[in-house]
Structure formats: structure tokens, C-alpha cells
Amino acid sequence: MQTLFISDLHLSPEHPELTTAFKHFLHHKAPHADALYILGDLFDFWIDDKDPTDFAREIKTALREVTLNGTPCYFIHGNRDFLVGKRFSRETGVTLLDEKAVVTLYGRRVLIMHGDTLCLDDVRYLQFREKVHQPWRQSLFRLLPFGLKQKIVSKIQSNTRQDKQNKSLDIMDVSQAEVERVMDEQQVSLLIHGHTHRPDIHSFQSSDSEKIRVVLGDWGKEISVLTYDDQGHYHLDHQLLSEYSGK
Ligand code: LP5
Ligand code: MN
């Protein structure tokens, strides 16, 4: 009995080896789990649920198989796939969760998030996030033809990439005060998130009790998976991508 957590796969048509690894994971690992949680940035960028490409269809089909075979699958938006919507959910059977969700894992309350909103020092990112999350902007964007949306996204991506190069690594990590604040607010002693690509398990004391923050790793050269079992044990595993899927 175990539950799996992954995030930051950054799947794209440009990296078919990642798609192969993800499908391998869905085929071989997910069916034995009680549930699969995807904590954002599954995609390098998700433009639209109506994405007509073979890539989008391939991922949707693979997820659909997992949910049809009886493994519940949950998704929290990341900063790169915040446009995943209801249609994606209908087509895959994946349940979309709020940006902060408390789930009960074998009796323990656990807070799960993507992690971007914990990075309070990254003010320019948070301002940018607020803009692209505005419903009126998203509604307007949805009306555009797919090809135009692709062009707009790649233009904005090149601007944000440049901006990111001028940031120090410090400001792109979580703010410890914010971590403690949300954990207190949600009354949890365990937080699981991704986004920072700094896989680790942090233990700390706050509000007179022991707290744990698990950071999932991204999938690039390695694949990273957190397994949480019914005894309350958990481990963060990583494996070289080249050794993972039988390509
Ligand atoms: O993902 P990662 O780790 O590389 O970097 C993130 C932050 N970057 C982003 C940008 C996304 O990767 C790409 C977004 C494309 C958006 C297309 C939107 C299409 C319209 C949608 C509907 C309205 O999330 C990065 C963080 C980093 O994590 C660590 O936390 O630092 O943040 C940035 O780099 C953002 C810049 O700091 C902000 C630059 C603003 C310049 C762009 C102006 C365009 C405004 C358009 C508004 C609609
Ligand atoms: Mn992210």
C-alpha cells in the first residue's frame, strides 16, 4: 500500500526520452499505487487542453489508462502548466486540485503544493504569476488560434528566461517563514512540494513541534519519485533516466 508523488517532469515534444520514461512509470509503477499525485510542471508548457498534437494525445491517453485501470490520479498546477483545465481532466480522468491541498495519507494530514508560491523573495516572478493567472487574460488567450498562442508563449518564455538569468539562486528558493506560516495555517506537520528542483527532506522545529518538508526532484538526467507507504514511511528515490525506461 503506497502513494506516489512526482513533479517537474517538464514533458515536451522536444524530449521524447522523458515521455518514454513517464509512460514507463505510468505503466509499471502507477498500477501498484493507491494513488498518484502530480504536483505541477508535468509539462514544459501547456498551452491549451485542445492541443491537437500527437504529443498531447499520447500523454492524455497514457494518463487515461492509469485512471481507467483504477489508480486515482491528482494534479496540482505548476507555473508551466497552469492552463491545464477541465477538459484535460475529463479526457484523462485526472482530478484537478487547488493550489494548496490537504490530503489524508493513511491517517496523516499532508499539505501538497507546487511550491512556486512559497518563494516570496522572487517578487518579479510573483508579479508575473498574478498577471498570467488573471481570469480575463486567460479567457482572452483561450480565444486565440493555437499557432498564435504557441508564438506568444515562446516570446514570453524567452523574456522570462532572460529575466531569470539575472536572479540569484537564493531568491528562487522557498522562504522558510512562508513554509512555517502555511503549515501552521493548514495545521500539518508534513509538506510535500516541487518547483525548486532541489530534492531533499528537511526537518525543522516550528511552533514547538517537529515539521518535515519534502522537496520533489525534477526529471531530466534522472527521474525522481516520492513513495509514501501505509506505515507512514517515505523515501525520495532517483534513478538515472538512461537506466530507467527500456528504450
Ligand atoms: O519554470 P522555471 O523554473 O524556469 O522558472 C520559474 C519562473 N518562470 C516562469 C515562466 C515560465 O517558465 C514560462 C511562462 C510562459 C507564460 C506564457 C503565458 C501565456 C499567456 C497566459 C494567459 C494569460 O514561470 C521564474 C522563477 C523561477 O521559476 C524560480 O521560482 O524565477 O520566474 C521568472 O523568470 C519570471 C520573471 O521574473 C518575470 C519576467 C517578466 C517579463 C515577461 C513580461 C511578459 C508579461 C506578459 C503578461 C501576460
Ligand atoms: Mn515550477
Side-chain angles (χ1 to χ4, degrees):
M1 300 271 282
Q2 57 187 31
T3 297
L4 303 175
F5 295 83
I6 54 174
S7 72
D8 301 280
L9 284 76
H10 294 213
L11 302 179
S12 74
E14 286 71 41
H15 288 283
E17 72 286 2
L18 283 175
T19 301
T20 304
F22 180 52
K23 284 170 67 180
H24 184 87
F25 169 80
L26 291 182
H27 198 75
H28 295 278
K29 296 281 183 211
H32 310 293
D34 294 320
L36 167 65
Y37 287 86
I38 303 172
L39 304 190
D41 288 0
L42 172 62
F43 298 105
D44 196 53
F45 198 80
W46 185 254
I47 292 183
D48 184 347
D49 286 358
K50 292 186 200 148
D51 184 333
T53 61
D54 289 345
F55 164 75
R57 195 171 320 113
E58 196 179 355
I59 303 294
K60 284 181 189 169
T61 305
L63 284 166
R64 183 80 197 150
E65 269 169 30
V66 173
T67 58
L68 278 178
N69 285 334
T71 304
C73 220
Y74 302 93
F75 177 82
I76 292 186
H77 294 104
N79 55 296
R80 287 163 172 262
D81 46 21
F82 57 89
L83 294 172
V84 165
K86 290 196 186 112
R87 183 178 172 136
F88 179 92
S89 170
R90 260 198 323 273
E91 289 177 356
T92 58
V94 171
T95 304
L96 306 185
L97 300 176
D98 289 343
E99 66 180 54
K100 264 189 258 168
V102 175
V103 293
T104 305
L105 290 182
Y106 313 107
R108 181 174 190 179
R109 279 168 59 81
V110 179
L111 173 62
I112 54 176
M113 307 172 69
H114 177 55
D116 53 335
T117 54
L118 296 168
C119 303
L120 289 196
D121 296 333
D122 198 347
V123 175
R124 284 180 64 78
Y125 166 66
L126 292 173
Q127 286 168 344
F128 172 77
R129 184 182 193 276
E130 205 179 304
K131 282 201 186 94
V132 294
H133 276 253
Q134 272 164 348
W136 69 267
R137 277 206 168 90
Q138 292 190 4
S139 304
L140 270 182
F141 184 75
R142 280 203 186 89
L143 296 174
L144 304 174
F146 189 73
L148 179 57
K149 284 194 267 209
Q150 279 179 310
K151 285 197 183 113
I152 294 174
V153 167
S154 74
K155 177 83 187 102
I156 299 179
Q157 275 174 328
S158 82
N159 289 342
T160 55
R161 224 174 275 129
Q162 267 180 3
D163 202 70
K164 194 180 154 188
Q165 276 169 7
N166 302 323
K167 292 181 189 175
S168 74
L169 282 177
D170 289 4
I171 72 158
M172 291 191 283
D173 202 357
V174 301
S175 136
Q176 180 63 21
E178 180 62 2
V179 166
E180 292 179 18
R181 191 194 66 75
V182 288
M183 291 183 78
D184 277 350
E185 176 192 80
Q186 303 295 326
Q187 300 185 326
V188 293
S189 58
L190 175 61
L191 162 65
I192 304 171
H193 71 83
H195 181 66
T196 60
H197 301 193
R198 301 173 202 218
D200 211 340
I201 298 182
H202 302 269
S203 317
F204 55 94
Q205 286 282 325
S206 93
S207 305
D208 295 327
S209 64
E210 172 87 3
K211 305 271 165 58
I212 310 278
R213 176 170 70 94
V214 179
V215 189
L216 305 174
D218 58 309
W219 288 32
K221 290 193 175 63
E222 296 185 323
I223 67 138
S224 172
V225 180
L226 174 74
T227 306
Y228 189 107
D229 73 22
D230 57 348
Q231 302 302 305
H233 300 134
Y234 45 89
H235 47 97
L236 197 49
D237 295 314
H238 53 98
Q239 209 175 327
L240 278 177
L241 187 74
S242 54
E243 290 171 4
Y244 185 62
S245 45
K247 285 172 287 165

